[in-house]
Amino acid sequence: MGKYNQDFKVLTKRELCANTYHFKIQAPLIAKKILAGQFIMIRPNENSERIPLSICGWNREEGYIELIIMSAGRTSTEATIKEVGDSFKDVVGPLGQRSHIAKYDGACVLMGGGYGTGAIIPTARDLKEAGNRVIGVVGARSENLLLMVDELKDACDEVYLTTNDGSIGIEGFVTHALEEIQKKEKVSSVLAVGPVPMMIAVANMTKEDGIECWVSLNAIMVDGTGMCGACRVTVGGKTKFACFHGPDFNGHEVDFKELMTRQKMFVDQEKIAMEAFTGALEK
Ligand SMILES: Cc1cc2nc3c(=O)[nH]c(=O)nc-3n(C[C@H](O)[C@H](O)[C@H](O)COP(=O)(O)OP(=O)(O)OC[C@H]3O[C@@H](n4cnc5c(N)ncnc54)[C@H](O)[C@@H]3O)c2cc1C
Ligand code: FES
């Protein structure tokens, strides 16, 4: 297999919770270069759209990358129905910039919701390697929706769990865990990766408390290389491309209102695409 004719084979597939799977994909060239915080774009089949996905791990020697894919619409579902031995048509990357890594005097708190819990694992490892105390926080609606907790525990000094229904850990949101942590120790930096309302809450709280805050922006992307402008976001009053300048940005400077409006731009088309796809599957 050459550089332009690779086989992105599914090596393993594991269900994490309803509609969400962990995959190991053969991709030796990406595995060789990928850094914490960067992402890839996949096209599951010849006629699929391309979607961006974070990387939750890799093995440079064995040449694979690890992904968490939640089936949200047509293309992500085309990916999650792949089985071991199937291949993805394209996997492009690494894309975007590495997460911000520095040595801090207080703890680094990394917060993940949904697939975001996988995305924070490589950054947690790098921050720890840089000599930091690293605390992970995983939030979900309920215990059965918490993902990758054991893997995050391996990468962090300590992990807090939060559930909206209180089925395990702290009852409430990831911000409640941050409150608890701040009662015990100094926090210097926070990274939040997950649904936009969660990132807004974390950005607001850290701004009040004077803590550095990074968020990973899940803007709609088309090419993923800074060419098309689909992922345009406003940060600190300036136009940035989430795929090229990010995906991590200073959470205190992000125009989240604009991000949410732009995320909803294609809702009607997304519905039609999913209905056509499920209709074809049922036939
Ligand atoms: C940098 C980055 C990293 C990402 N990492 C992951 C990951 O590791 N695992 C994962 O499962 N998903 C990840 N996403 C989200 C993923 O790209 C979207 O779920 C996917 O593009 C949806 O495409 P679709 O055709 O399946 O659904 P569509 O029909 O396009 O959309 C269905 C619904 O999914 C949501 N959605 C659509 N696009 C996005 C988006 N870009 N971000 C968030 N929600 C969206 C909207 O609610 C939409 O209505 C990431 C997004 C970005 C930008
Ligand atoms: S996805 Fe095209 S510029 Fe970012």
Side-chain angles (χ1 to χ4, degrees), residues 39 41 50 52 219-232 240-245:
F39 68 96
M41 295 207 57
R50 303 170 73 217
I220 288 178
M221 295 183 180
V222 176
D223 67 310
T225 61
M227 302 285 282
C228 71
C231 67
R232 176 169 65 76
K240 300 277 178 189
F241 296 139
C243 69
F244 179 73
H245 300 107

Side-chain angles (χ1 to χ4, degrees), residues 147-160:
L147 312 178
M148 304 293 285
V149 174
D150 290 339
E151 291 83 350
L152 190 65
K153 280 183 179 164
D154 284 344
C156 296
D157 292 295
E158 200 177 352
V159 169
Y160 285 68

Side-chain angles (χ1 to χ4, degrees), residues 39 51-54 68-70 72-76 115 217-221 247 270:
F39 68 96
I51 57 165
L53 298 171
S54 311
I68 295 172
I69 314 181
M70 189 189 83
R74 175 174 181 151
T75 313
S76 48
Y115 66 78
L217 299 188
N218 46 3
I220 288 178
M221 295 183 180
E270 287 161 358

